[in-house]
Every structure is written in C-alpha cells, then in structure tokens.
C-alpha cells in the first residue's frame, strides 16, 4: 500500500493545537449526532437500528397465523354477500353511464353495445343478530355470520386474473415480488421447526377455471426458505420428499451431514446467504419426511368432524379436505396456510356453475371457522375468504332470461374475514345500489395487506428488505391500517 | 427622614406587625376577613420572595461584619412579618387548611419569630447564640420555602425521576371506570391545584364525594350543564379553559373518557363489563387494559436473546411474545425420543413463560408438578396429550392461569373438582374429551366466571351427506364370474343395491359381504348410515365378455389422432377413462368402423355391445348406424341385426354409452361389425353439418352359452 503511506503520513502529521481543536469539534459533532439519531451510542447505530428484530412481532399480535381461502377466478359478490335487489327490479335495463363513469372494460365486453343489468337469480336471506343478507348459495356461511366480518368495499386496479391474483399475493401486479406468506415467514418465522412456515393447498371446482402459478407462493427476492410449499393430494404430498428405494433414514442423515460440511466450507469462502438457506432447507426436508405424512393423516379425525366439514373432506384434493388439512396444519404451528379453489370465473352459465362452486366451499368454510372456534383457536387464527376482484352487475354477452354471465369488476368486491382480532358479526363498507361503485369505507389491497400485517403484530412500514438499492415491503409505498376492522 | 426617625419607624412597625401576627394566630377561628384584606393576602406569593433573599443577604452581611447590619435586619424583619401576615390571610381564603399549609404556616411563623428575636436582641446576644439562631433560621427558611412550593405545585414537585412513566397499576380484568380511569386523570392533571390544601375555585377533585360537591359555581353536574366538561372542552386560548393553558393539558383520550363517563351518569360503580362495546370509551378502556397487561409483563425478569437461542431446538420453539418483551411463548412438538428433560430445560426462564403449548405428548404427573413452578403462566394447551386424570390433578392452582385448552384428550369428570379450584380460569376448552355434560354443569355451577367450550353447536344442523361407495374391483368387462366388494371411507355403512336397473331405496337389499357378478348386469347402489344423509345413487354396468376372437381385423384404421393401443384394446377388458385421449380409446371420423372376426369354435351369437362415449361439446356423437353380420364362413355372411341410435336433440354432458344391438340367436364362426359415425351433426350444435366422432373402447359379443 505504498501510494497510501504518504497520504497517511500527511494526515498523521498534526500538531497539538490542531489536535485539540479538532477533538473538541469532533466531540461536539458526535454529541449533536446523538441528539438527532436516537440510540447512536446504545445500539448498533445508524438508521437501521430502528428496524425491529426479525422473527418476533413488533408489538403484541392479535393473530398468530392466517388461513387464506382464496377463491381463484373471482366469485361474484352479487350472488354471494352483496345484496342488490335494485338489479332484480331493473333486470334487462342498460347500465346508466353515470354509474359506470368510464370504468375500463375487459376485452371481452368492451365491444358490447349494451350492458344489460342482471340481478341474482338466487334469493338472499337474512342471518344472524344484525340481519345480514347472505345469498342462498351460501347458507352455511349465513349460519356463522355472527363470527365473521364481511368487507364489501374492497377494490383493486387489476382487471385480469394473472395481474390481479399476483397483486393480492405479492402487493404488485408485476411478478417477482415475494408473496404474503413469504413476508410472514420472513417477519415472524416458524412456530414449528418441522413444518414449513408457508403451505399451499389447491383444489379445483367444476366451473370455468383459470390457471394458478407457482410464482404466487414464491419467495421472490427473500431467502428461498420462505417460499410456500405446495402439499399435493396424491400419495406423495410433497414431491421428491420421500427417500428413494433402498435408502434408509440413517443413511440419509449421514448424507445430509456430509453435504452440510461441504456446503459450510463453501460458505466460508463465498459468504452467500443462499448456501445457509439451502442447508436449512435440507434439514427441514429431512424433518418433513416424518412430520408431513403425520399431519396429512386424517384417519384419526372423529366422525363428528367429518360430518361438520361434509363427507367430501375424506376425498383428498377437494376443498373440504383441504380445509380440514388447513386446520390440522394450523394446530401444528404453520404460520400461513393458503388454499386455492379454482373455477369461479363465471363469464357465462353463472347460475349453473356458481351453485356447484358454492356447494364445494360453503359448508367446508363454515366448518373450518367453527372447528377453530371450538378449539379456542379462532381468537388467534385469522381466516380470510375471497377472490381477486368482483364481477360486473351487467350481463356479459347477450342477455338471456334464463342464463347469464358476468365480466370482471375490479372497482368493488366483497370478502369476509373471521377470527384473529377482526370485529365479529359486522359488515364493513358499502357499495351503491347498483353494486358498481363504493360509497363508504373503501379498502384497497394495500390497506388490506397493512391490516393483515397489523393483526399479526407487524408494522407494515417496518418489515422491509433491501433489494436492488431500495427497501421493499409488502405494501410497497402505500397502505393504511383499517382500524375500524380491528376489534 | 433622619436615621433616628427611620429607626423608630421600623421599631414600631415591626413591633405592631408582630403583635398583629400573634393576634391573628390566637383568634384565628373568630376572624372574618373582609374582602379588601383578603385581596391583600393574595400578595403573599409576591412578597415572600423578599424575605428569602434578604435573610440570606443579611446573614452574609453579618458574617462580613458590615457596619450597617441593623439596617439590613430592619428591612428583612419588616418584609418577613408582612409576608407572614399576608400568608396567614391567604390561608384563610378558601376552605379548610390541609396539612401542608399548616406545616408551612408554623414554619413561616418560626422564621418570623427568629427574625424578630434577632432584630430586637441582636446586640445583646452572644456570638455563639447568634450563630445557632442563624443556623436555625436557615433551616426554617428552607423548609418553609419547600413546603410553600409543595402547596402550590403538588407534593411530588421536586421528586426526581421520570414522571411520565409512572408505574401504572395493573388493571384488573373488570376495572371500575371511576377508580381506574377517571380519578387517575384528576390525580395527574388537576389535583395539584384542586386538593384539600389548595383548592382553586373551591373545587376539590381528589375524591368522589368532593367531586360531587363541586366548587364555587356549585355542583359540577346539574341538569343544565356540567361545568367541568364545559371547561375542559373550551378552546385552549379561552380564559376559562381548564387545565390552565400553561399547565399540562388533557389528552384526547382523557377528554373522551371524562366526557363518556359523565354522559353515562358519572357513577362511582360503573365497571368495564357494563360498557356498551360500541361506545368510544369501551375501546379506550380495552386498549388500556391490554397496555396494562403488557405493562405487567414488563416486571418479568429479563431474558436475553442468547438464553433463548440456547433453549430453542427442533422440537421446542421459544419466542418472545413481541419485540422486546420478556414474556415468552413456548411450543413443544412430539418427537421420537421425548423426555421430561425438554420441560426441565425451561427452568431458567420458567417465570417468563406466559403461554405454554404441549402437543401430542405423553404427560405424567411429573410434568404437571413442574408446571406448578411456572408462576406467570396464563395459557396452557395440552391438546392431544395422553395423561390420566390422576396425573392431571397434580397440577396446582396457578393464579395467573386464565386459559386451559385440553381438547382431544382422554380426560374425564375426575378432573372437574381440580378445575373448579382454578378460580382465575376464564376459558376452558374440552372438545372431544371424556368430560360429560353433567361434569360441565357441575363445573359451571362452581365457577360462574368460567366459559366452557365443548363444541360449536352451530354446526349441529350441518347436513352430513355420505359420499357414494366405490366398487372393488371395478371391472366393467369380465370374462369369468367374480366377487365385487363395496368400499367406503367411513365405517358401519349399509350398502343398498339393485340389479334390475331400478333405483334402490331404504328397503332394498343390503350387501352383506360381497356380490357375485356372473352375468351382464347394471348395479345401482347407495350408502346409508345412521345419523347421516344417504349418498346419491351411483351405478355401474358389468358386461360379460367371454367370446374373444382369436383373429380379427379392422378394414380401416382409426383416425390417426386416436389410435390408442391398436385393435387389441377392443377385447382387453379395459374400460377407457373419461379422458378420451387415453390409449384405451380409438376413434373414427371419416372412415367407417369395420371389424371382421374369426372364431375357432362355433357359438350362438345373440347380441353385440359396443362401449362408447358421448360428449357433444367436442363433437363426440352416437354413430348413425350399427350393422352386425355373421355366418359360418367369411364369404357368406348375412345381416343379423341393425341398430340406429336415436339422434341427440340437445347438448349432453360427457358420459359413457353402450350400444346394444340385439337379434335372434344365430350360430356363427365369423362376425362382421360395421359402424358408421354420424354423417351430419344436427343443426342445434355449432358444428352442424359436420361429421361426428365415434369413440370405442370395447366390443362385447353376447352368446347364449356364455350368458
């Protein structure tokens, strides 16, 4: 380092006068700094010192885990939780321009010259202490309406499935960001070291389906150990988890130990965190070989439980079976359990298809909430049910008096939540009588995410990860916690 | 004025003031102070500063042996006495004197007395006695000043320490609104000026009764208006606004609490549980209760991250409840080599554990005894654990235990008495245990505050429909007779069936073990069980096919997209699945299906069954015509039968279809089957006019012999 020596010597050449004056100025500056940067001397220092430790909630949480029953394809809110009798009265009339207000249409209906209003073919009934209106397609959810909070004023910008589901799961319409479950795993860690923190279960109804992509449960730029694990319904719940024929568990143990040795050596040279993550994942997989089959084994469930969920719960791969699995996973400490049920994209043939879709999920969803309640888990488990956007109040295609379909409608839709610190037995937010615009308490997806994180004890602005030069968070640069939803 | 006359002036003034002071003190209770004198008394806080300084200056001058010391003495004594007199008058202004005022008064009198003595006797006293007098004087003036400060600013005015972080009392679960919320606000922000010692506006806010009594303007709450609320809601700039604008103001939530409490009647006994959950005050109180809970956790011994890290393992997770908290949550999962050591290792942090979860573990009395040392345990979960009642009863009363989850265990009524002794318990979960409803009633009667959850009764009327059974083996085509069993995921199922194509009902025969299938039949069946709704009726058709031609050929190959396994699929007894792309299916579109078969032995043919599939959406239709030829030699075949399946009139969902061409029995050695796919799809279909696909996966030759 020869070139630096001269510079160094120059700098070290200092007389007493200069030394003392610089010292006093320096100390003064540091003192000023300690006034402006809190904890400059007590903690690690710098602005990052404010970031709370990972793996622990920032403040006392209300919910410790989330079960998200995602209805992929977008179920119609007008046939489920948003009762609009005006549409039945005005059946067949054109949608007034004043209501539509230039809302962007999808390519499927943009060429329609008429937008005939169509009301629900199925009736609505009032349930619960507040006389909440629930469609006849969901009578069991009607029975638990006093436990849930229906948010009718959700809205989003995305108008098609892929960006919309991506938005819901990752906080951005473009892919590449970590999903909700990964953020939770990153921020809160695992309660049970033998199961993944984030599990995904999928099922498919008979209705019109849209695809699901594994990017929806990917960990994005977070450590890959936070990614969602898809548990399949067949003989092998997790692909490639079981040892191949001829390898015993102790052999596997020895092999893993040796691999870990090699990986650790590599890590000490390269210091890539992904290596540590990989080692941890091997270990997790080893433990999962035992724990996953046990958790998935529903043979020990008492018959009364099967009755509650409906006998479909015995058929692996159905929504009901997934709900029962979700409860078992929640009992065993999994942080974020995501169910997907496809088939809700009723562009046509809605009365027929939606009734079948509803049959798939109605009883099982209600049973899940009640099952959690009787185990005392509903207070710290948040259950969410909803799709990626709503459906239009006008008919897609030519209006026929016996059958109809609805197009996508991002401007307003309904979801419900239960447990986990959410207010019980209320409806939040309102849409206008046409079921088109929101007139009260809009909740954007970012607000929804902020509220979820808040219920889990995380300040959504504090859970960040620095990537590509800036700090990302699930709510990106927006999101306000909706305090009125919180009990 | 000459020096002498000044001296005379001072002498007499001081003398008279001293006598006045004594007079005032002696005849205190008979005095009625006129308003002008009252007003003079209010100058005390101004005048008192003079004696404080002057006394010290005089002492210093004395020490310096100043020649003019008498001059200092005179003026000091004068001011001291004036201050004492005005102070006394001020103390009579308002209601009864509190302790602090009395102490302050007598200390002040002491100062005055000492000053007077020094003034009159200063030349006569010896040095030593003057020094002790001065010492006393200093002590008295300091104390007087201190107590005077306490009168004005409150008793803790000088106490050092963070006053904002007062140790909040731990709130009980059902706090009294007045005692725990309203009065503390008064204590913190109002009582310094509104107490017994100093009662501004004659208002005392240190107790409920004095609150009711009110002050100068009368009782605080009458029908017309509430002065207290009025004052605190005034804008800060307003003169009448309370607290005074230069003092610490009330926060929004404090104003809300006071407002709500008054609106609800300002009752002394109002408790949290009586509040309406919708009211604003409810939420504030709830939050404060939660905060206080968190506050009480702040008294727990400290736990470092290092300690936690050491205790965490693959099967035992220990977490802080939230960032920075010393309150811990523990989860212990089952492992192959579980031992009580796992719990014993928790001993160093046993006082910090608030929540303990033991899942599916074999617990004994030893573990329960260990738990007795977890003093701060609030929530215990022993889901799925195996433990006897005897062992469970080793658990003693933990005063903080509020929640116990014991579902999916074998505990029975013998634990009821033990549970009843846990008087702090608020929530008990005993779903799926052996505790009977009488045990629950017993427990409820002993502990009225306990919520017991046995099951979610809302689910009692959830419809429970059985799934239909499955048949094993599901042999659609068979050669030799076989037995078929009914399989079902649940136990104790009755399987009812018919073989005559009629729908079975609750009177139909029940399968005892298995059914013998030895001829063509259509089995219809459903599952039924007590307490469940019966399943839908499902059906399966069994076809006996034991006439397999050793040699056969197809005149035209099938459509290149659907060749399947080739011709052998027609006699392999395998049923194609719903997915017609499977290799068990072959399909014809442009060409006819022409199958020629040759047999080694003659048999009597009376029908041909073709197994097919219909699904209108992808253009799978019934064929327009099926013709069967047969005979004894290949060149001389005659037509045996023709079948024209009926045209489909509307859209049909995907389903299997069997075309049975039956005819008079005929002895054959050669058979030829010709099937013509649909020439013209009917007009209601979007592919009208085009050809329809014909799919086939099996051909069955029915013979008289082989029934």
């Amino acid at each position: 380092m020869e070139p630096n020596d001269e510079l160094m010597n120059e700098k070290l050449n200092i007389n007493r006068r200069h030394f003392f004056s610089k010292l006093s100025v320096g100390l003064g500056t540091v003192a000023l700094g300690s006034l402006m940067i809190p904890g400059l001397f007590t903690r690690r220092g710098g602005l990052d010192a404010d970031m709370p430790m990972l793996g622990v909630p920032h403040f006392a949480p209300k919910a410790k885990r989330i079960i998200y029953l995602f209805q992929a394809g977008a179920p119609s809110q007008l046939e489920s939780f948003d009762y609009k009798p005006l549409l039945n009265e005005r059946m067949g009339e054109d949608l007034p321009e004043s209501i539509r207000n230039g809302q962007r249409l999808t390519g499927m209906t943009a060429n329609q010259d008429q937008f005939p209003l169509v009301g629900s073919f199925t009736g609505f009934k009032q349930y619960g202490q507040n006389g909440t209106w629930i469609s006849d397609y969901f009578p069991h959810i009607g029975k638990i309406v006093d436990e849930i909070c229906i948010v009718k004023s959700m809205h989003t910008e995305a108008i098609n499935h892929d960006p919309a589901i991506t938005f819901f799961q990752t906080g951005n319409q473009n892919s590449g960001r970590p999903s909700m479950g990964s953020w939770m795993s990153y921020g809160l860690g695992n309660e049970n070291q033998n199961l993944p923190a984030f599990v995904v279960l999928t099922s498919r109804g008979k209705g019109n389906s849209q695809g699901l992509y594994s990017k929806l449960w990917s960990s994005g730029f977070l450590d890959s150990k936070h990614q969602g694990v898809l548990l399949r319904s067949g003989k092998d719940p997790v692909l490639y988890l079981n040892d191949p024929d001829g390898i015993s568990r102790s052999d596997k143990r020895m092999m893993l130990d040796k691999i870990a040795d090699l990986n650790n050596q590599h890590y000490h040279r390269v210091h890539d965190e992904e290596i540590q993550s990989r080692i941890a994942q091997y270990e997790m997989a080893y433990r999962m070989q035992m724990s996953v089959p046990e958790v998935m084994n529903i043979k020990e469930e008492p018959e009364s439980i099967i009755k509650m969920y409906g006998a479909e719960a015995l058929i692996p791969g159905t929504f009901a079976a997934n709900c029962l699995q979700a409860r078992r996973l929640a009992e065993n400490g999994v942080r974020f359990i995501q169910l997907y049920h496809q088939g809700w994209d009723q562009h046509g043939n809605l009365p027929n298809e939606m009734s079948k879709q509803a049959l798939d999920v109605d009883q099982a969803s209600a049973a899940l909430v009640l099952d959690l309640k009787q185990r005392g888990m509903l207070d710290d488990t948040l259950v969410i049910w909803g799709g990626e956007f709503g459906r239009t109040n006008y008919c897609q295609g030519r209006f026929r008096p016996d059958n109809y379909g609805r197009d996508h409608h991002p401007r307003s839709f309904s979801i419900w939540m239960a447990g986990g610190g959410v207010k019980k037995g209320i409806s939040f937010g309102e849409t206008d009588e046409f079921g088109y615009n929101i007139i009260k308490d809009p909740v954007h997806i970012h607000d929804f995410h902020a509220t979820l994180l808040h219920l889990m004890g995380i300040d959504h602005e504090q859970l960040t990860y620095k990537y590509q030069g800036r700090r990302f968070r699930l709510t990106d640069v927006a999101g306000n916690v909706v305090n009125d939803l919180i009990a | 004025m000459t020096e002498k006359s000044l001296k005379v002036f001072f002498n007499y003034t001081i003398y008279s003031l001293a006598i006045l002071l004594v007079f005032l003190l002696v005849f205190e209770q008979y005095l009625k102070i006129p308003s002008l004198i009252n007003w003079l008394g209010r100058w005390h806080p101004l005048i008192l500063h003079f004696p404080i300084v002057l006394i010290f200056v005089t002492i210093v001058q004395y020490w310096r042996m100043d020649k003019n010391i008498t001059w200092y003495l005179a003026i000091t004594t004068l001011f001291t006495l004036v201050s004492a007199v005005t102070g006394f008058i001020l103390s009579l202004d308002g209601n009864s004197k509190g302790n602090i005022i009395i102490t302050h008064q007598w200390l002040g009198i002491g100062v005055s007395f000492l000053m007077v003595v020094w003034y009159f006797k200063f030349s006569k006293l010896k040095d030593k006695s003057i020094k002790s007098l001065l010492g006393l004087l200093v002590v008295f003036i300091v104390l007087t000043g201190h107590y005077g400060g306490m009168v004005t600013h409150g008793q803790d005015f000088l106490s050092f320490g963070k006053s904002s972080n007062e140790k909040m009392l731990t709130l009980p679960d059902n706090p009294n609104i007045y005692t725990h919320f309203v009065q503390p606000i008064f204590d913190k922000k109002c009582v310094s000026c509104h107490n017994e010692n100093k009662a501004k506006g004659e208002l005392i806010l240190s107790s409920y009764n004095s609150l009711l009594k009110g002050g100068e303007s009368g009782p605080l709450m009458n029908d017309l208006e509430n002065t207290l609320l009025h004052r605190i809601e005034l804008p800060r700039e307003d003169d009448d606004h309370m607290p005074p604008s230069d003092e610490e103001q009330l926060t929004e939530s404090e104003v809300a609490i006071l407002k709500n409490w008054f609106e609800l009647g300002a009752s002394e006994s109002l408790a949290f549980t009586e509040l309406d959950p919708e009211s604003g005050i409810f939420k504030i109180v709830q939050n404060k209760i939660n905060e206080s809970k968190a506050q009480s956790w702040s008294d727990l011994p400290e736990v470092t991250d290092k300690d936690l890290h050491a205790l965490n393992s693959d099967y035992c997770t220990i977490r802080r409840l939230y960032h920075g908290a010393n309150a811990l949550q523990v989860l212990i999962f089952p492992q192959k080599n579980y031992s009580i050591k796992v719990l014993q290792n928790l001993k160093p942090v046993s006082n910090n554990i608030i929540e303990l979860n033991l899942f599916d573990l074999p617990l004994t009395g030893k573990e329960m005894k260990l738990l007795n040392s977890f003093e701060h345990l609030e929530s215990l979960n022993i889901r799925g654990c195996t433990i006897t009642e005897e062992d469970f009863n080793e658990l003693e009363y933990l005063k903080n235990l509020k929640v116990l989850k014991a579902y999916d265990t074998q505990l029975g009524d013998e634990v009821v008495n033990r549970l009843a002794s846990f008087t702090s318990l608020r929530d008990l979960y005993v779903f799926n245990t052996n505790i009977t409803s009488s045990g629950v009633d017993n427990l409820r009667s002993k502990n009225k505050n306990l919520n017991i959850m046995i099951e979610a009764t809302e689910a009692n009327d959830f419809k429970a429909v059985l799934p239909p059974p499955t048949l094993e083996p599901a042999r659609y085509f068979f050669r030799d007779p076989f037995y078929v069993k009914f399989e079902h995921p649940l136990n104790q199922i009755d399987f009812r069936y018919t073989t005559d194509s009629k729908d079975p009902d609750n009177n139909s025969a029940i399968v005892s073990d298995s059914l013998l299938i030895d001829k063509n039949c259509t089995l219809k069946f459903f599952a039924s069980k007590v307490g469940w709704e019966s399943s839908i009726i499902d059906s399966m058709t069994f076809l006996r096919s034991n006439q397999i031609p050793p040699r056969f050929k197809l005149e035209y190959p099938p459509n290149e997209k659907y060749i399947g396994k080739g011709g052998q699929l027609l006699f392999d007894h395998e049923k194609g699945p719903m997915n017609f792309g499977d290799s068990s299916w072959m399909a014809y579109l442009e060409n006819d299906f022409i199958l020629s078969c040759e047999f080694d032995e003659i048999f009597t043919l009376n029908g041909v069954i073709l197994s097919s599939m219909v699904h209108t959406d992808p253009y799978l239709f019934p064929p327009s015509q099926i013709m069967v030829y047969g005979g004894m030699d290949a060149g001389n075949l005659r037509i045996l039968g023709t079948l024209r399946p009926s045209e489909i009139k509307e859209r049909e969902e995907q389903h299997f279809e069997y075309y049975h061409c039956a005819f008079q029995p005929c002895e054959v050695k050669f058979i030829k089957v010709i099937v013509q796919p649909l020439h013209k799809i009917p007009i209601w279909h979007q592919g009208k006019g085009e050809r329809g696909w014909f799919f086939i996966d099996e051909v069955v030759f029915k013979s008289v012999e082989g029934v």
Side-chain angles (χ1 to χ4, degrees), chain B residues 276-423:
Chain B
D276 176 8
E278 294 295 310
S279 61
I281 189 177
F282 182 85
K283 201 156 174 196
I284 300 177
V285 171
Q286 178 72 67
N287 281 342
K288 283 261 157 39
I289 293 180
N290 291 342
E291 267 172 43
S292 112
K293 222 189 283 197
Q295 197 83 1
S296 73
W297 290 341
S298 68
D299 295 334
L300 293 172
E302 191 173 324
V303 179
T304 64
D305 287 339
K306 221 162 154 215
D307 297 334
L308 285 181
H309 193 71
L311 288 170
N312 264 296
S313 76
D314 283 344
Y315 296 94
C316 175
T317 308
I318 308 185
R319 282 272 153 73
R320 293 184 197 270
L321 280 174
Y322 56 90
H323 178 58
N326 289 322
L328 301 177
Q329 169 201 38
V330 176
L331 299 121
I332 302 186
F333 294 96
Q335 53 178 143
K336 239 188 338 193
N337 38 0
Y338 162 77
S339 79
I340 192 177
K341 271 219 192 72
V342 179
L343 270 179
Q344 285 167 337
N345 287 341
L346 295 176
K347 222 165 160 29
V349 292
S350 62
N351 277 330
N352 293 67
I353 298 182
I354 303 292
E355 185 187 314
L356 178 62
N357 297 287
L358 306 167
F359 297 135
D360 299 314
L361 298 175
L363 297 178
T364 64
K366 278 206 241 154
E367 276 94 343
M368 291 292 117
K369 282 215 189 83
L370 254 182
L371 292 186
N372 290 332
S373 63
F374 288 23
E375 284 172 9
H376 285 104
L377 192 63
E378 288 180 19
S379 163
L380 175 62
N381 186 339
I382 53 172
R383 156 178 81 80
C385 290
T386 48
I387 179 170
T388 63
E389 283 96 344
E390 221 183 297
D391 284 336
F392 180 82
N393 283 334
E394 300 274 0
L395 188 64
E396 274 161 30
Y397 174 53
L398 294 163
K399 65 174 170 15
N400 282 312
L401 189 65
K402 298 202 180 61
V403 177
L404 175 60
K405 298 186 190 172
Y407 53 88
D408 284 341
T409 61
Q410 304 291 333
L411 293 175
D413 286 342
E414 275 101 54
V415 303
V416 166
N417 282 329
R418 173 62 52 166
L419 288 175
S421 72
F422 294 172
T423 48

Side-chain angles (χ1 to χ4, degrees), chain A residues 57 64 191 303 363 374 376, chain B residues 317 323 355 405 456 463 529:
Chain A
K64 299 224 176 80
E191 276 190 341
E303 212 174 279
Q363 185 168 346
Q374 68 192 1
Chain B
T317 308
H323 178 58
E355 185 187 314
K405 298 186 190 172
K463 224 173 33 160
K529 182 175 171 147

Side-chain angles (χ1 to χ4, degrees), chain B residues 93-282:
Chain B
D93 174 14
N95 8 25
S96 54
K97 297 184 196 177
N99 288 333
I100 301 181
I101 292 190
I102 294 179
T103 319
H104 172 71
Q105 173 184 298
W106 288 107
L107 284 169
I109 305 288
V111 171
S112 315
F113 174 73
L114 287 171
M115 274 317 297
V116 166
V117 164
W118 191 12
Y119 174 72
F120 281 123
K121 294 280 182 208
F122 108 94
S123 48
K124 302 209 184 89
L125 288 172
K126 282 199 275 223
D127 232 358
K128 221 175 174 187
S129 15
I130 292 205
K131 284 212 171 77
S132 42
L133 186 145
L134 290 188
L136 261 178
L137 196 55
V138 170
V139 171
F140 267 75
I141 193 76
V142 168
L143 283 176
T144 313
H146 179 60
Y147 274 87
M150 281 207 280
V151 170
T152 325
H153 294 286
Q155 272 178 286
D156 323 323
F157 191 62
L158 274 188
S159 55
F160 189 67
K162 304 181 222 156
S163 54
S164 49
N165 272 12
E166 310 126 11
K167 213 159 159 347
M168 196 159 66
L169 299 159
T170 320
L171 289 174
D173 282 330
N174 186 16
N176 177 298
I177 305 297
Y178 169 73
T179 326
H180 291 110
F181 291 89
V182 174
Q183 188 55 47
I185 296 177
F186 290 151
D187 285 340
K188 199 162 150 207
K189 306 255 170 102
C190 316
V191 151
S192 53
C193 291
H194 293 286
N195 56 47
E196 297 97 15
N197 294 313
K198 172 175 169 171
K200 290 286 190 177
E202 293 180 38
L203 175 66
I204 296 184
L205 290 177
S206 47
S207 73
Y208 185 72
N209 289 328
S210 49
L211 168 69
L212 282 184
K213 218 190 316 177
E216 263 179 345
S217 16
L220 283 176
M221 302 161 288
N222 49 35
D223 292 323
L224 294 173
E225 65 170 36
N226 185 324
T227 330
L228 188 147
L229 269 191
H230 175 69
R231 289 241 184 167
I232 64 181
E233 285 184 324
L234 282 173
R236 193 167 168 172
E237 307 80 42
D238 194 309
D239 284 339
D240 283 343
H241 169 79
M242 276 291 136
S245 46
D246 52 352
E247 302 284 343
E248 195 178 347
Q249 297 294 300
L250 293 176
T251 65
E252 240 182 75
S253 60
E254 285 172 343
V255 172
I257 291 179
L258 288 178
K259 190 165 172 196
N260 274 295
W261 182 66
F262 276 114
E263 274 168 11
L264 292 172
S267 141
E268 196 178 2
S269 60
L270 181 65
F272 172 59
T273 46
E274 295 163 36
L275 289 178
D276 176 8
E278 294 295 310
S279 61
I281 189 177
F282 182 85

